[in-house]
Amino acid sequence: MNPLATRSAAPDRPLAIGLLLGVSGWAAGLFVLFFVVLLFRPDSAGQAALSGAILLAAAWALFMAAREGEPVFVAQLALALSIAGQCLALYAMTKGSHGIAPVAGAALALQSALALAMPNRLHRTLTTLFATIAWALTLRFALFGEPGYTTRGDAVHAASLAAALGGWLLAWGPVAAALWWAARKESGWVSGGWETLTRPIVDGLIVGLAVATLASQPFESFGWFGDGGADAGNLALWPLLSALGALGALAAAFALRRSGLMVLCAVAAPLHVAHFYYALGTSLLVKSLLMLAMGAASLAAARFLRSKEPA
Amino acid sequence: MNASTSQRYDPRPTPAEWRAFEGRLLHAAGLGSLGAGVIFFVAANWQAWGLAGRFGLLQAGLLVSVAAALWQPPPARVGQGALLLATLFTGALLALFGQSYQTGADLYELFLTWSLLALPFAVAALSGAVWAVWWVVLDVGLGLFCGGLSHDRIFWFVPGDWGRDHAAWLMLPCLANLLGAGLFLAIRRTRFADAAPPWLARFLLTIGLGYGTAASLPEMGDHGPAVFALYTAISIGIAVATLARRQDVFPLTALAGSWLVISTTWLAHSMHREDVGEVFIIAAWLIGSSTTAAMLLMRCLRAWRVPAAAEVAR
């Protein structure tokens, strides 16, 4: 048994119940954060770091206590404490830094460490998902500039088609590769005693590749603040790549027999296509031709596959 | 290897299963891409083609789709795909008509007319996917009509004019979706079961409960108490029916989520926000109620799995 592996509290928990616990745990965590901030007022980085460390340590201890059997209450309390602790720790790590990229980078380091350290399935899935979001944001703003430091759209307009495609692949290629590896080597990590560590992380990567690709362009396309979308230039192609990413995640979920996640991926793909519709930077006519060509190619490939099936 | 272990470590998909999966995925992605391409094309309003050309293109697409469905009628895959495209072509034609002649019709009228005209295609397709598209069209129309969605924002999921006296109106899409879910559950017991996959009923149940949840939040209007009582009665009815069937915990899970949102919102609404202790109470309520719900749901799941497994074994 590897040292990071833990007994899974609820290996057969349906996605919907996990979602119920995850969302309510997150919301409870935010209220715990307000409570701690109002009560102790940790204004400096040091105070925030201390408060965050105490909350994270308490969460870890509760998760360890909740490993045996099914003490859902303890695990849910630990999740809420961890969320509050993460927010305070991130505040301590990034107080004084400017821009989104450093904050996202710190979040990536924090979430990656917690995905390994916290002995809980749901927590590992959530931290992995947030790590993928942080990774995408870090790369996005490190490669193509920060909003506010350039005129919105100027920096991304400078991105060539090759840079746009390369940037997306750099962000999401490693996630896809990790899923491919996990699906290929599943029997190895299951028999090696790594399942309780690897399975929730793989779940988080599947959800990340399906939906968190939106984090690669958080400000373009949608009028988040009511002033319409910014011109995304060549990055307008990213939602289309995200739709393909969701289909890739769907294949990974199929390979790993995660039926609930397959539904999530199947819902995510058309939402990315809707995002593609609104992404400014490429004309609707070009988008239309792209979609028609992809549709024809996919149907032809499906027909080819059917023709290869034994009668 | 015991039964629970064999259930957890299913073998990897076989090459035949992979081929079938890839075929279905490519087929669905191809149809979706073609449909999206047509909609994008109409929205592009390409002047080089002229009005007659654009109408002709869409009408030809609709005719070819219907002809293909007649040539290989559902449940053949070609027929189902063709009727999905026919549903999308119908909406594109309506949109082009409104775009070209400035009929002055509201956006919700477009979607409701679209759903009415496409209903025969949805019925004939015998396909959960086509029904899902049809319900999305109907729900967008109902959402716009009842004020649950805002038509003046790009991001339609942002709530529209909620907060005015819309609680009663929001119960219309709630009831429509819940009745739809019940209808598809009933269809599953008939020879048309393939047209009503379980995920479709879950999808409609989730949307219906979403609208009911929104209608039951505080300060939703003069009819708030009556709507709240109606939604409570509906929730009890769904819970009793689910407990009687002993097959699927999803309706109970969705109900738990709905009432968690309603109760937490009401709790926060009744408190003075500057009080530290009250913030803690909300956190404790969220943790306690979600934990209790999850434990009860898992207990139901385990209790119901045993007879279901025995049924399969027989």
Side-chain angles (χ1 to χ4, degrees):
Chain A
M1 186 86 168
N2 72 75
L4 292 170
T6 55
R7 271 192 59 180
S8 172
D12 54 352
R13 182 189 290 157
L15 179 70
I17 300 178
L19 204 61
L20 177 76
L21 283 170
V23 173
S24 51
W26 242 94
L30 293 180
F31 280 104
V32 170
L33 175 67
F34 293 145
F35 175 71
V36 170
V37 167
L38 286 172
L39 197 64
F40 300 106
R41 301 195 182 281
D43 296 326
S44 69
Q47 289 169 331
L50 182 65
S51 308
I54 291 171
L55 287 170
L56 288 172
W60 182 83
L62 287 172
F63 278 137
M64 290 296 281
R67 280 190 307 169
E68 303 297 325
E70 195 192 341
V72 184
F73 175 78
V74 179
Q76 192 72 343
L77 175 64
L79 177 63
L81 293 179
S82 172
I83 301 302
Q86 287 172 46
C87 293
L88 286 165
L90 190 61
Y91 172 75
M93 289 165 77
T94 57
K95 192 168 189 286
S97 58
H98 300 285
I100 298 172
V103 177
L108 173 63
L110 182 67
Q111 299 293 317
S112 304
L114 291 175
L116 296 174
M118 289 294 187
N120 178 269
R121 186 185 178 91
L122 179 61
H123 194 284
R124 279 183 170 145
T125 299
L126 286 174
T127 45
T128 305
L129 170 63
F130 288 114
T132 62
I133 293 172
W135 166 243
L137 287 173
T138 306
L139 271 184
R140 164 72 177 81
F141 292 114
L143 292 177
F144 299 105
E146 302 259 354
Y149 295 100
T150 59
T151 305
R152 212 164 75 167
D154 281 358
V156 292
H157 251 314
S160 65
L161 183 63
L165 294 177
W168 195 92
L169 283 175
L170 192 60
W172 296 103
V175 176
L179 285 174
W180 183 81
W181 175 87
R184 296 266 306 172
K185 304 287 182 187
E186 185 190 12
S187 55
W189 48 262
V190 168
S191 60
W194 290 92
E195 189 187 14
T196 50
L197 174 69
T198 311
R199 182 82 67 194
I201 289 177
V202 167
D203 284 353
L205 292 177
I206 290 174
V207 179
L209 186 58
V211 299
T213 43
L214 185 64
S216 285
Q217 4 174 226
F219 298 118
E220 290 84 12
S221 307
F222 290 123
W224 295 106
F225 304 107
D227 58 349
D231 191 343
N234 285 318
L235 302 193
L237 288 175
W238 278 10
L240 188 59
L241 297 174
S242 300
L244 296 176
L247 295 183
L250 179 66
F254 174 76
L256 295 160
R257 300 165 306 283
R258 312 296 288 161
S259 54
L261 295 181
M262 285 176 71
V263 175
L264 186 81
C265 299
V267 172
L271 291 179
H272 286 305
V273 174
H275 183 188
F276 181 52
Y277 175 87
Y278 288 114
L280 302 179
T282 305
S283 75
L284 270 172
L285 191 63
V286 172
K287 290 177 190 173
S288 160
L289 295 176
L290 263 177
M291 297 304 297
L292 290 171
M294 280 174 55
S298 298
L299 286 177
R303 193 164 184 80
F304 175 75
L305 277 180
R306 261 205 308 281
S307 71
K308 291 283 175 190
E309 281 177 7
Chain B
M1 189 184 280
N2 61 33
S4 63
T5 310
S6 64
Q7 192 177 5
R8 279 189 65 191
Y9 302 123
D10 295 335
R12 289 168 56 86
T14 62
E17 287 172 332
W18 265 114
R19 270 198 304 275
F21 169 77
E22 286 163 356
R24 283 198 306 271
L25 181 65
L26 285 168
H27 185 76
L31 286 175
S33 297
L34 279 183
V38 170
I39 291 170
F40 287 16
F41 185 82
V42 173
N45 199 16
W46 196 28
Q47 299 298 328
W49 266 58
L51 191 57
R54 276 174 281 157
F55 267 114
L57 182 75
L58 289 176
Q59 284 165 344
L62 182 61
L63 282 176
V64 168
S65 300
V66 172
L70 289 171
W71 171 54
Q72 289 203 6
R77 204 183 280 182
V78 172
Q80 290 179 328
L83 287 176
L84 176 64
L85 286 179
T87 302
L88 297 175
F89 276 125
T90 304
L93 263 172
L94 281 172
L96 181 61
F97 188 79
Q99 185 187 62
S100 307
Y101 298 113
Q102 297 296 319
T103 57
D106 282 321
L107 197 52
Y108 73 82
E109 291 178 84
L110 164 73
F111 281 96
L112 293 180
T113 311
W114 180 2
S115 66
L116 191 67
L117 292 176
L119 184 58
F121 299 144
V123 172
L126 301 175
S127 156
V130 181
W131 270 120
V133 170
W134 185 85
W135 273 97
V136 167
V137 172
L138 179 69
D139 271 321
V140 171
L142 286 175
L144 289 166
F145 177 65
C146 300
L149 296 175
S150 172
H151 63 274
D152 57 352
R153 300 177 202 201
I154 292 175
F155 203 22
W156 272 0
F157 306 108
V158 176
D161 296 329
W162 293 2
R164 287 198 270 135
D165 191 12
H166 277 153
W169 278 114
L170 288 178
M171 289 308 286
L172 178 64
C174 167
L175 288 170
N177 281 281
L178 294 181
L179 287 173
L183 177 70
F184 284 109
L185 280 179
I187 291 174
R188 278 199 67 72
R189 288 194 284 271
T190 70
R191 65 193 174 94
F192 300 111
D194 287 347
W199 59 262
L200 185 58
R202 290 179 171 193
F203 172 65
L204 297 180
L205 178 80
T206 306
I207 295 176
L209 293 183
Y211 273 110
T213 304
S216 303
L217 295 179
E219 295 186 2
M220 285 302 288
D222 297 337
H223 299 101
V227 168
F228 189 86
L230 175 63
Y231 186 63
T232 306
I234 290 171
S235 299
I236 292 170
I238 294 172
V240 168
T242 308
L243 289 167
R245 288 183 79 221
R246 297 175 65 85
Q247 284 184 358
D248 184 12
V249 294
F250 183 84
L252 294 179
T253 311
L255 277 175
S258 165
W259 282 97
L260 206 62
V261 171
I262 293 171
S263 58
T264 306
T265 310
W266 275 100
L267 191 63
H269 183 70
S270 64
M271 290 180 168
H272 309 289
R273 285 165 188 80
E274 63 272 14
D275 191 326
V276 178
E278 289 175 347
V279 174
F280 180 77
I281 287 172
I282 296 174
W285 166 251
L286 274 169
I287 294 168
S289 57
S290 61
T291 300
T292 308
M295 285 168 65
L296 292 174
L297 290 166
M298 289 304 293
R299 191 173 294 175
C300 288
L301 183 75
R302 286 176 186 134
W304 296 354
R305 259 185 192 168
V306 177
E311 187 77 19
V312 169
R314 276 205 297 274

